[in-house]
Amino acid sequence: MSARVDTSVVATGAGGLAVLCTATSFTGVLADLRWLLPATIVVALLGGIGIAGRKLNQHPVVVVLAQLVGLLLGLTALFTGSGVLGVLPGPAAIGELGAHLSGALEQVRAGVPPVPAEPALQCLLCLGVGLVAIAVDVIVVGMGAPAVAGLVLLCVFAVPASLAARLLPWWSFALGALGFALLLACGGQQRWQRREPGDRIAHTLFGRTTVGLASSAAVVALVSGVAFTGVGTEGRLPGSEADMAGGTSGIGLQPFTSLRGQLERDEVVELFRVRGLPEETYLRALTLRRFNPEQGWRLEGLTQGVPAGPDLPPPEGTPPPAEPPARVEIRPVGYRDPWLPVFGVPTGVTGMGPSWRYDPAAGVVFTQTNQESRPYTEELVLPDPSPEELRSATGSMPIAPEYLDASGIPPEVTALARRLTADADNDFDRAAAINRFFTDPANGFRYDLQTAPDTGISALSDFLFRGKRGFCEQYASSMAVLLRAVGVPSRVAIGFTAGYRDGDERVITTEDAHAWVEVYFPGHGWQTFDPTPLEDGRTALPGFLEADAGPAVPAPPPPPGQPQSQAPQPPTAGPAPEQPEQPDAPRREPESGGSGVAWVIALGALAVVLLAAPAAVRAARRHLRLRAATTGGAGAAWREVLDEFQDRGSTPGRGETARGMATALAERHGLDQDATRSLRELVTAVERQWYGPPEPDTAPDLSPAVSAVLAGIARSAPLTWRERLFPRSVLRPLRDG
C-alpha cells in the first residue's frame, strides 16, 4: 500500500497550477513570455505559505494575511532594487512598486495589444495573478469548493479578452480547461480524507473522468480557435502578413493598426512631449509603398537599413543639407510601438536604446526587438523648397518602382485623376491639383470619424464619388492612388500632427494620430501633402502649398452608373469671412481616470464575488444534499443537519455516535417535538445505512424528515446576517478522519 499524502497539499498545488494555466490567456495581449517566470514564482510562494499555515493549524484569516504579506515581499524582491535586505518593502521600494503599477496602468490605457511584457506590466500581472491565487486557495482548500473557483478563473479570462481585438489563443483555453478539470478531480474535502494513499490520489487526478473532461474542453477550445481566430485586426505588429482589414475595404491602412485604435478612443491619451521643434510639422512613424485594391496599403520592401545612431545617411538622390540640422528632444509618454517616430529628414537619432535601425529609402526608424520606449534626441532637416523649384525638378529618380505601381486601380479612378490634372504639365501641379480637389469646400468632402455607408461598389470609388466623408485614412489613401494613376511617385505616411503647445514643449496625444501623403521630386526627395480637410488647426502645411493656392478644382461628375454624392454642399453666396489666425487651436487636454474607474469597478466586483462565495457554497451544498435525500441518501442528509448545527456554533465531537450527537444537539438548541421526532427518524435511517445489511428495496425518501429538522432548527435558533453571509461550516469545514 502506497504512502499517505496530505490532500490539502495536493489541492493547493492543483489550485496554483489552474491559476497559471488560466493566466496563459494573457499571451493574447502580451508580446512575449517574460512574465511567466515571475508569475510562477509568486504562485509557488503563496502556495507554500498556505501549506505552511495549515500545517501549523493557523486560522484561515491568518493564513490569508500571511499570503498577502508574502505577495508584497515577492513583488519587492522581483521588481524593485531598493528593498531592505532585498525583500523587505521600505518606503523607497513602495514608491518603486507604485511607479511600476501606475506605468503599467498607463500602458494598459494607451497601448494596443500585443505589447511587450515590460517590467511594469509584469509587476501588475504578478499582483493580479497573486490575488487570484490567494482567492482560489481559500475557495479550493479552505472552503472545499473547487467548482466555485471556476468563477474566479473565468474572471481571469475576461481581462485579456476585453483588451484583445482578436480571439485569445485556443491553447490557453485548453490549458485553462485542464487546470479546472484537476480542481474538480480534487473534490475538496467532500471526496478525500485529510490523508489519502498516493495511488488513490493519482488515480483520481488522472483517471478517465478527469482526462475525458479536459480532452472535451480542449477539443471545444481547438474548434473555437480554428473557427474564430481570424476575427479582429487591432493589436498586430506593423507589417505582419496576417489577414487584416483596415478602414473602408480596399483603401484602408493595414500595417499601423494602432492608428485606428487611437482615432477611435473615447479619451485622449498623451503620447509624446517634444522640445526644440523649430516649426510645426508632422511626426512620421512609417511609410507604406504598396497598394492592393483588395487589401489596402501594405508595408512591403522595408530593408534592414543601417544602425540608427548620430550619423544617418541621407536618402539616395537627396543633396546634403545646406544648413545645420535642428535638434529636437522627444520623450515618449504613452507610446509603445516598434516604430520610432521622427520629424522631417533625420540626420541622427540617439538615446533610444540598442537594436534600432534606420531605412533611408522609407524614412523610418524601427526595431525588431521588444524593448521599453526611452526618451531620444533627433537631429533633422526640414526641407522647404519653393513651388518653382518643385515644378522644375527633373532628373533620375533613385526610388523603388513600387512607388509608381498603378496596377489594380479602377478605371473610373484613373479617369478622375486625368481630369483633375488635365491642365498640369509637371508633377508638382498635378499633386497640388489633386490635393485641392479634397480640400476645396465646394467639392463636398468633409472630415468625419464615421465613413459613409457602403454601397457595394469599390470602396475607393465609393469614397471619391459618393461618400465623400471619412478621416485621414481615407483621404491619404485616395490621394496617393490618384497620384499614381497619373504617374506621380507617391506613398502614404503614418504618424502624428505636431500637437499643441504647453509652455516650451509640444504635447502630442492620441488625438493627433494622422495619415498624409508624400510625393517624390528629383533632387528634393519626399515632400509632404495633406488632403484631409481638418477644421481644428492641426494641419501643418508645408510652405510650398501655402504659397501656391492655385485655381479651384471642381468635382467631376461621377462615372455612369454611380449614384450622385449625398454629401452636403456649402453655401455659395460669397466668400467666407476671414478668421483671425491662431497660433494653436484649442485642444482637449489628455484625460485621466477612465481606466482608474474601470479598475475600481473590477476590484469592487471581485470583492462582491469573494464576499458572496461562502454563502453561495453553502447554498449549493444544501441543494445537492437535499436532492440526495430524496433517493435515500442518509449520509448526505445527516451531513446537512450537522452543518446547520455547526453554522450556529455547535461542533459535535468526533467520537460520538450519530444518536448521541442528535440527542446533545436537540437539547442544546431546544428543538420542538416535531423537529426532534424527525431528527430521530433521520438518525435511524443513518444507522440502518451505515451498520445494517444492504437493502434490495428502493430507499425511502428522507427529504421530508430533513426539511422538518431544518425548519425546527431555524425556529429555535435563527441565524444572524453574519452567520448567513459567512457560514462556519464552509469557512471551517469538518474533516473526516
Side-chain angles (χ1 to χ4, degrees), residues 110-505:
V112 177
V115 295
E118 297 174 353
L121 282 176
Q122 294 180 42
C123 182
L124 177 62
L125 184 59
C126 287
L127 173 62
V129 169
L131 293 175
V132 170
I134 294 174
V136 170
D137 187 66
V138 170
I139 295 172
V140 173
V141 184
M143 299 181 183
V148 178
L151 297 175
V152 179
L153 299 179
L154 188 60
C155 292
V156 175
F157 272 107
V159 174
S162 66
L163 297 175
R166 45 186 296 121
L167 193 72
L168 301 178
W170 64 265
W171 49 266
S172 67
F173 290 100
L175 287 176
L178 175 61
F180 187 52
L182 289 176
L183 285 184
L184 293 179
C186 287
Q189 306 303 323
Q190 303 300 314
R191 176 177 300 182
W192 285 339
Q193 306 290 338
R194 176 61 183 269
R195 304 185 70 86
E196 289 282 355
D199 54 357
R200 184 189 176 197
I201 292 178
H203 176 75
T204 303
L205 290 179
F206 306 107
R208 288 180 297 178
T209 301
T210 304
V211 173
L213 177 61
S215 300
S216 300
V219 169
V220 172
L222 176 60
V223 173
S224 301
V226 171
F228 301 111
T229 297
V231 177
T233 58
E234 285 188 46
R236 303 194 64 85
L237 288 177
S240 63
E241 295 299 325
D243 294 334
M244 294 185 290
T248 308
S249 174
I251 63 172
L253 305 176
Q254 298 195 15
F256 198 47
T257 54
S258 61
L259 172 68
R260 172 173 295 279
Q262 290 163 358
L263 284 172
E264 295 178 349
R265 284 187 179 274
D266 294 330
E267 60 180 348
V268 181
V269 178
E270 185 176 312
L271 298 178
F272 303 96
R273 284 191 170 262
V274 180
R275 288 178 179 268
L277 187 64
E279 62 184 77
E280 291 187 19
T281 187
Y282 295 146
L283 182 63
R284 180 177 57 253
L286 73 154
T287 58
L288 312 177
R289 75 177 190 178
R290 181 172 177 79
F291 175 72
N292 184 309
E294 301 298 328
Q295 298 177 326
W297 287 86
R298 303 177 66 85
L299 178 70
E300 291 187 5
L302 186 68
T303 69
Q304 288 297 314
V306 299
D311 297 309
L312 299 179
E316 189 175 355
T318 304
E323 56 185 27
R327 181 184 177 88
V328 178
E329 297 176 359
I330 305 171
R331 178 165 60 90
V333 180
Y335 178 83
R336 301 291 185 274
D337 211 78
W339 308 100
L340 192 75
V342 292
F343 293 102
V345 179
T347 62
V349 183
T350 57
M352 63 285 181
S355 303
W356 288 90
R357 313 284 299 181
Y358 172 61
D359 183 351
V364 300
V365 181
F366 63 95
T367 183
Q368 296 177 336
T369 63
N370 293 313
Q371 53 183 289
E372 186 174 0
S373 300
R374 307 179 187 178
Y376 58 100
T377 300
E378 178 193 0
E379 294 190 351
L380 67 136
V381 175
L382 295 175
D384 188 22
S386 67
E388 291 73 22
E389 289 176 321
L390 295 180
R391 286 192 179 99
S392 60
T394 58
S396 62
M397 293 190 293
I399 58 175
E402 287 81 4
Y403 290 114
L404 285 161
D405 184 12
S407 58
I409 299 177
E412 65 272 15
V413 175
T414 300
L416 170 62
R418 291 172 178 170
R419 288 196 296 272
L420 294 175
T421 60
D423 297 330
D425 59 2
N426 59 79
D427 283 354
F428 173 76
D429 286 336
R430 295 185 185 97
I434 293 175
N435 199 95
R436 288 194 299 271
F437 169 64
F438 293 104
T439 58
D440 187 348
N443 292 330
F445 287 95
R446 63 187 177 93
Y447 180 80
D448 195 336
L449 292 181
Q450 297 295 325
T451 57
D454 190 6
T455 62
I457 309 168
S458 161
L460 181 60
S461 300
D462 198 38
F463 173 73
L464 289 171
F465 298 109
R466 180 184 180 279
K468 292 192 175 184
R469 65 183 174 97
F471 46 93
C472 56
E473 179 176 326
Q474 279 72 32
Y475 286 97
S477 299
S478 301
M479 179 176 176
V481 171
L482 289 171
L483 287 168
R484 290 194 180 181
V486 291
V488 179
S490 61
R491 67 189 185 190
V492 172
I494 310 295
F496 307 90
T497 59
Y500 65 90
R501 189 176 301 280
D502 182 18
D504 60 349
E505 294 182 321

Side-chain angles (χ1 to χ4, degrees), residues 12-13 15-17 19-20 38-49 126 129-130 133:
T12 301
L17 181 61
V19 171
L20 289 175
T40 303
I41 293 174
V42 166
V43 172
L45 172 65
L46 298 177
I49 294 174
C126 287
V129 169

